[in-house]
Amino acid sequence: SAVISQKPSRDICQRGTSLTIQCQVDSQVTMMFWYRQQPGQSLTLIATANQGSEATYESGFVIDKFPISRPNLTFSTLTVSNMSPEDSSIYLCSAGQGNYGYTFGSGTRLTVV
Amino acid sequence: DAKTTQPPSMDCAEGRAANLPCNHSTISGNEYVYWYRQIHSQGPQYIIHGLKNNETNEMASLIITEDRKSSTLILPHATLRDTAVYYCIVRVVDDMRFGAGTRLTVKP
């Protein structure tokens, strides 16, 4: 299965600024997903990112707030824009191929102050 | 619109089998059943998946009922390191939504 390198692992950011999270996969994958996980909660899907097409966002998440890039089959970024304290959370990416089990990054712990 | 229902928590004695149930009564014919677990502060880890038949790998066994409306994940000899939140997901290729999961605590 694919191995994912996600960075940064954590960051403390000022409100009103933006943070870009990167996910690098060690093999070519069709599907990549971005999630948010708040303390003590399950994972909430933000968007699905397929190479060569626009990301598909879940209800409650918009492109202006969470722009996603997927320039090739091994890399994706998620930007958290114009941050507020409510954006403090763990952000995770996942990648995989077909019906196989997907791999997750180790997460980015974001604190907005 | 959760597709799966799992008990919120379970306990298991170390060395015993842990049987984690999942109900997915609205599963479609082309949806697979996947299990992941998340150990505290780590990203979720894939465990096993299946469509109709029972499956076994080095980590666990997956038992799917004949009508496919429920399944059970079996950890045959639970250890303290198996303490985690276990997620059952039904999906086709482009749909990876997590429910609340079951928090399994393995006790000495």
Side-chain angles (χ1 to χ4, degrees):
Chain A
S1 57
V3 175
I4 297 177
S5 173
Q6 183 176 343
K7 56 183 179 182
S9 59
R10 60 179 63 230
D11 208 340
I12 300 173
C13 300
Q14 297 291 322
R15 68 176 65 201
T17 63
S18 298
L19 175 71
T20 296
I21 302 167
Q22 300 179 2
C23 268
Q24 178 72 54
V25 190
D26 70 343
S27 58
Q28 294 185 340
V29 292
T30 305
M31 309 293 297
M32 292 190 75
F33 302 91
W34 286 96
Y35 295 87
R36 182 172 72 185
Q37 186 173 31
Q38 297 181 317
Q41 303 295 314
S42 180
L43 287 76
T44 299
L45 181 63
I46 296 172
T48 302
N50 295 334
Q51 194 271 335
S53 62
E54 295 292 322
T56 302
Y57 288 82
E58 296 296 301
S59 176
F61 297 96
V62 296
I63 187 171
D64 290 346
K65 176 68 175 176
F66 298 100
I68 289 171
S69 75
R70 183 80 200 275
N72 56 52
L73 289 173
T74 65
F75 188 76
S76 180
T77 66
L78 170 77
T79 299
V80 186
S81 302
N82 188 24
M83 288 184 286
S84 67
E86 292 71 33
D87 295 319
S88 297
S89 191
I90 297 173
Y91 293 84
L92 297 119
C93 67
S94 176
Q97 193 86 355
N99 286 318
Y100 297 100
Y102 282 27
T103 305
F104 282 78
S106 54
T108 297
R109 186 178 298 272
L110 171 62
T111 302
V112 184
V113 297
Chain B
D1 60 343
K3 293 184 176 181
T4 62
T5 303
Q6 299 177 252
S9 64
M10 294 181 61
D11 291 341
C12 177
E14 187 178 20
R16 304 296 294 269
N19 296 283
L20 293 92
C22 180
N23 288 324
H24 31 80
S25 58
T26 61
I27 192 170
S28 301
N30 61 343
E31 288 183 314
Y32 285 73
V33 179
Y34 287 77
W35 284 84
Y36 288 79
R37 73 180 182 184
Q38 187 175 27
I39 297 171
H40 183 63
S41 298
Q42 300 181 18
Q45 176 190 22
Y46 164 77
I47 300 173
I48 198 168
H49 76 285
L51 182 62
K52 296 180 181 179
N53 300 321
N54 299 335
E55 303 288 344
T56 295
N57 62 21
E58 64 278 4
M59 291 182 66
S61 295
L62 173 60
I63 307 299
I64 302 174
T65 58
E66 190 169 348
D67 64 7
R68 302 208 324 122
K69 293 185 177 182
S70 65
S71 60
T72 300
L73 178 75
I74 301 173
L75 307 178
H77 306 287
T79 71
L80 298 179
R81 289 176 295 179
D82 292 321
T83 292
V85 178
Y86 288 77
Y87 297 99
C88 168
I89 300 170
V90 295
R91 62 169 285 241
V92 291
V93 172
D94 58 351
D95 187 347
M96 274 274 289
R97 295 182 179 85
F98 284 71
T102 296
R103 181 175 298 278
L104 175 68
T105 303
V106 181
K107 298 185 174 181

